[in-house]
Amino acid sequence: MYVLALVTQKGGSGKSTLAVGLAVAAMENGERVAFVEADPQGTISKWKERRGNPFPRVVRVADSAEIERALVRLEAEGIWLAIIDTAATNNALAAHAITKADLCLIPTRPSPADIEAAIPTLVAIRRFNRRFAFVLNQTPPRGCRLSEAATSLNSLGVLALPYVGQRNDHQDALGTGLGVTEFAQEGRASEEVRELWRWVLKKLVEGSLDHEPHAKKAAC
Ligand SMILES: Nc1ncnc2c1ncn2[C@@H]1O[C@H](COP(=O)(O)OP(=O)(O)OP(=O)(O)O)[C@@H](O)[C@H]1O
Ligand SMILES: [Mg+2]
């Protein structure tokens, strides 16, 4: 079983939204997926309550021992991918999620304040020697701010592709208990999330995470 953790102490950066989008994209690809929700805010559980579909399962956890037990149980049940959604803190629970992850994704909005706020999470990931990638989320169509953010993140580590644009479909999907690829199958948001899932899958399965600088030069 692979474990993917969405982590960053910066609130509202898109951990839960991307967790849901990626989980459903993976399911549509035939994978057996479950959530471990390590955030008392319960965004994923509330999404699941709105969802008229028993999958993916959501297991809520309140401490590190519960994360351990949940992962053992899910693996025994034949789950192929467990996605841990964490709270916007640098607490012990988030740290434990990091230690269990084959890959940590750090969603980051393209602003200096958001990038700075992700640094303590990055430090924790490095301390535990885990693999990670930033995901630029809620991006504008183009502009200097985006290129500068991509350049900054590339200097700190791997930046996943593609960037995920700011699109209402993500919010509407979350509000209706759907993954964005279910909500607006043909939309640009769905395309990006499917492509991001393919990127994540490759990194999970191949195990390698070479630095791939790809920030476009700012045309400004
Ligand atoms: N790419 C996007 N386009 C539009 N809205 C988005 C996008 N990503 C996230 N959002 C919206 O931004 C808000 C915050 O996202 P989300 O709850 O996923 O962040 P989070 O990091 O999980 O927050 P928290 O730290 O509170 O758990 C939500 O309203 C969500 O729908
Ligand atoms: Mg969240």
Side-chain angles (χ1 to χ4, degrees), residues 32-102:
R32 294 195 66 188
V33 182
F35 280 114
V36 175
E37 181 169 56
D39 181 359
Q41 196 172 217
T43 306
I44 302 282
S45 305
K46 288 173 190 153
W47 168 80
K48 184 64 194 292
E49 282 165 19
R50 295 188 286 272
R51 186 169 172 78
N53 179 331
F55 301 107
R57 269 190 58 199
V58 180
V59 182
R60 295 195 76 171
V61 294
D63 60 39
S64 302
E66 284 186 9
I67 292 189
E68 292 286 340
R69 282 197 293 274
L71 291 177
V72 168
R73 205 165 61 235
L74 292 172
E75 185 159 29
E77 286 172 12
I79 293 296
W80 184 84
L81 175 69
I83 300 183
I84 310 180
D85 186 34
T86 63
T89 65
N90 216 7
N91 65 8
L93 197 53
H96 198 75
I98 291 170
T99 66
K100 302 309 291 182
D102 296 298

Side-chain angles (χ1 to χ4, degrees), residues 81-163:
L81 175 69
I83 300 183
I84 310 180
D85 186 34
T86 63
T89 65
N90 216 7
N91 65 8
L93 197 53
H96 198 75
I98 291 170
T99 66
K100 302 309 291 182
D102 296 298
L103 179 63
C104 298
L105 292 182
I106 311 175
T108 313
R109 287 171 299 208
S111 85
D114 283 67
I115 294 171
E116 277 162 18
I119 300 291
T121 305
L122 182 59
V123 169
I125 292 171
R126 288 220 163 106
R127 178 153 39 93
F128 297 124
N129 204 19
R130 306 316 295 166
R131 296 163 63 229
F132 71 92
F134 293 100
V135 181
L136 259 175
N137 187 35
Q138 303 181 49
T139 60
R142 64 188 71 80
C144 294
R145 199 154 60 80
L146 182 56
S147 335
E148 282 162 15
T151 303
S152 300
L153 293 176
N154 261 318
S155 71
L156 294 170
V158 172
L159 176 52
L161 281 176
Y163 311 155

